[in-house]
Amino acid sequence: MSAVNVAAAAEKRWAWIVGAIIAAIIAMMVFTGIHWSSMPPSRVETIDPRTLHLSGEFAEGNLGTAVGADGKVMVRLIAQQYSFEPQCVVVPAGMPVTFRGTATDVIHGFVVGRTNANVMLIPGYVATFTTTFRRAGEHLMPCHEYCGTGHEAMWARVQVIPPADFLARARSGERVSCVPR
Ligand code: CUA
């Protein structure tokens, strides 16, 4: 075989190998996306990070878990260097829970244990998603976007409790919380 033919054969072989690698990566992305129910980015909703703590839905008194007049469970939270507010979130098992969150300073994010609750929190934007926690239990909720020197110490807890217990606690009209007082 001439040198030209050897080079052509090698290039053809590597074209097939690279093609197979790309196909395997795409297949892996499709599989994990469907298997773990990865959620698409939420719709674009903006908020002014300079004033969100003063009034409106992300003022301190509105953060945490609440049951709306329509019976829907809503968690509102904010992320800042280097903590989440609130530090501990209570949610019911087996009921849809809607999260609404944003960041006050830089990009943060969180994932709740090994569930599919996983989102980025970007200053100026409200991130929202709805998920259902199947079983009662406690999860760690770490920040998963590098946000500065305190990033690895930035995390909160999520307590998933039986729905009857949750609704009994929510009926008092207060926000349901597990933050120690
Ligand atoms: Cu907040 Cu990393």
Side-chain angles (χ1 to χ4, degrees):
M1 228 187 320
S2 75
V4 173
N5 288 342
V6 169
E11 278 186 11
K12 203 178 229 179
R13 188 166 66 244
W14 278 104
W16 279 109
I17 291 170
V18 170
I21 290 170
I22 291 169
I25 289 171
I26 291 174
M28 213 184 303
M29 285 162 64
V30 171
F31 172 76
T32 53
I34 293 170
H35 183 70
W36 297 108
S37 326
S38 293
M39 283 168 280
S42 51
R43 66 193 189 282
V44 174
E45 188 182 334
T46 57
I47 189 166
D48 186 344
R50 291 167 303 181
T51 56
L52 61 85
H53 61 291
L54 299 177
S55 63
E57 71 167 301
F58 292 102
E60 192 177 0
N62 289 329
L63 299 177
T65 313
V67 180
D70 53 2
K72 290 193 174 135
V73 182
M74 175 79 78
V75 177
R76 290 193 178 84
L77 52 85
I78 55 172
Q80 63 211 350
Q81 286 169 321
Y82 296 99
S83 63
F84 290 100
E85 195 65 49
Q87 285 283 307
C88 188
V89 174
V90 180
V91 292
M95 289 172 70
V97 178
T98 300
F99 282 77
R100 284 175 62 79
T102 188
T104 60
D105 38 31
V106 301
I107 294 177
H108 303 272
F110 67 83
V111 59
V112 178
R114 307 184 85 188
T115 69
N116 71 342
N118 184 340
V119 75
M120 276 173 86
L121 300 171
I122 302 170
Y125 296 90
V126 178
T128 180
F129 66 89
T130 301
T131 190
T132 302
F133 298 95
R134 291 203 196 106
R135 283 181 298 278
E138 182 155 335
H139 300 288
L140 282 182
M141 186 183 113
C143 175
H144 66 16
E145 295 289 339
Y146 183 75
C147 52
T149 52
H151 163 71
E152 84 286 351
M154 181 172 171
W155 51 273
R157 285 182 300 136
V158 175
Q159 280 182 1
V160 185
I161 64 175
D165 295 4
F166 177 83
L167 292 172
R169 283 172 68 176
R171 209 165 289 143
S172 67
E174 267 192 48
R175 256 142 226 288
V176 188
S177 169
C178 47
V179 176
R181 299 186 196 213

